[in-house]
Amino acid sequence: MQVCLLSPTCLIPTEEVDSDRVAEVQAQILCAGCWTVPITAEKDVLCVMDGHHRLAVAHRLQLPLVPVILLDYSAVRVESWRPGETITPACILAMARSGRKFPCKTTRHVFDQSLPNCNLPLESLHLLAPTERARADAKRARS
């Protein structure tokens, strides 16, 4: 399982975000001066599993690239934060394809193994631009 760099514009959010929480996460990232927790996304559709608030921060900061871990739903258990609501990978993928979003804190992704962190200075994410190699790496990581 490795971290790759992708454009935030290619990631599909499936949940709304809380603007206060986005501001908190942005302040934490700016204070640290680096990105430490990759966004997790489904490897084929590129919908966000975990990291909707971090993705919103990436858009606010206009980062050309963000660290992402691409996963398959076979390695991820899905639950709902909301009592009595059933969430499945199929309904998440359908939501991603529809362009709509669940309310904030609807889906909960539980990973079978611990995920790696990263330590990428923000300036390096600003300086890096998506290249053909980065696009090829992302395509290879999805296959």
Side-chain angles (χ1 to χ4, degrees):
M1 184 179 328
Q2 65 187 112
V3 177
C4 63
L5 296 175
L6 295 177
S7 168
T9 60
C10 72
L11 298 174
I12 302 168
T14 58
E15 280 192 5
E16 298 291 340
V17 294
D18 177 309
S19 59
D20 291 339
R21 180 69 184 136
V22 172
E24 289 173 21
V25 171
Q26 181 173 337
Q28 291 168 352
I29 290 171
L30 289 173
C31 182
C34 61
W35 198 282
T36 58
V37 181
I39 294 168
T40 56
E42 195 281 332
K43 69 180 185 68
D44 294 318
V45 178
L46 295 180
C47 62
V48 174
M49 292 176 167
D50 185 52
H52 287 89
H53 291 91
R54 283 173 272 140
L55 178 60
V57 170
H59 286 296
R60 279 187 175 188
L61 298 178
Q62 299 179 339
L63 295 175
L65 295 171
V66 290
V68 178
I69 297 173
L70 298 172
L71 299 172
D72 186 288
Y73 270 111
S74 64
V76 179
R77 190 172 78 245
V78 178
E79 301 173 351
S80 177
W81 288 105
R82 299 168 185 271
E85 191 166 339
T86 301
I87 298 291
T88 65
C91 68
I92 294 170
L93 294 171
M95 187 67 80
R97 290 183 179 108
S98 76
R100 297 176 313 160
K101 297 177 189 172
F102 291 106
C104 186
K105 286 297 190 189
T106 297
T107 63
R108 179 173 182 239
H109 290 76
V110 181
F111 305 102
D112 290 343
Q113 53 187 307
S114 62
L115 302 177
N117 284 335
C118 59
N119 191 12
L120 294 167
L122 288 179
E123 66 237 21
S124 69
L125 295 174
H126 276 293
L127 295 174
L128 293 170
T131 63
E132 286 306 314
R133 180 179 170 149
R135 284 189 278 274
D137 288 346
K139 186 181 272 187
R140 190 171 51 256
R142 284 191 297 234
S143 53

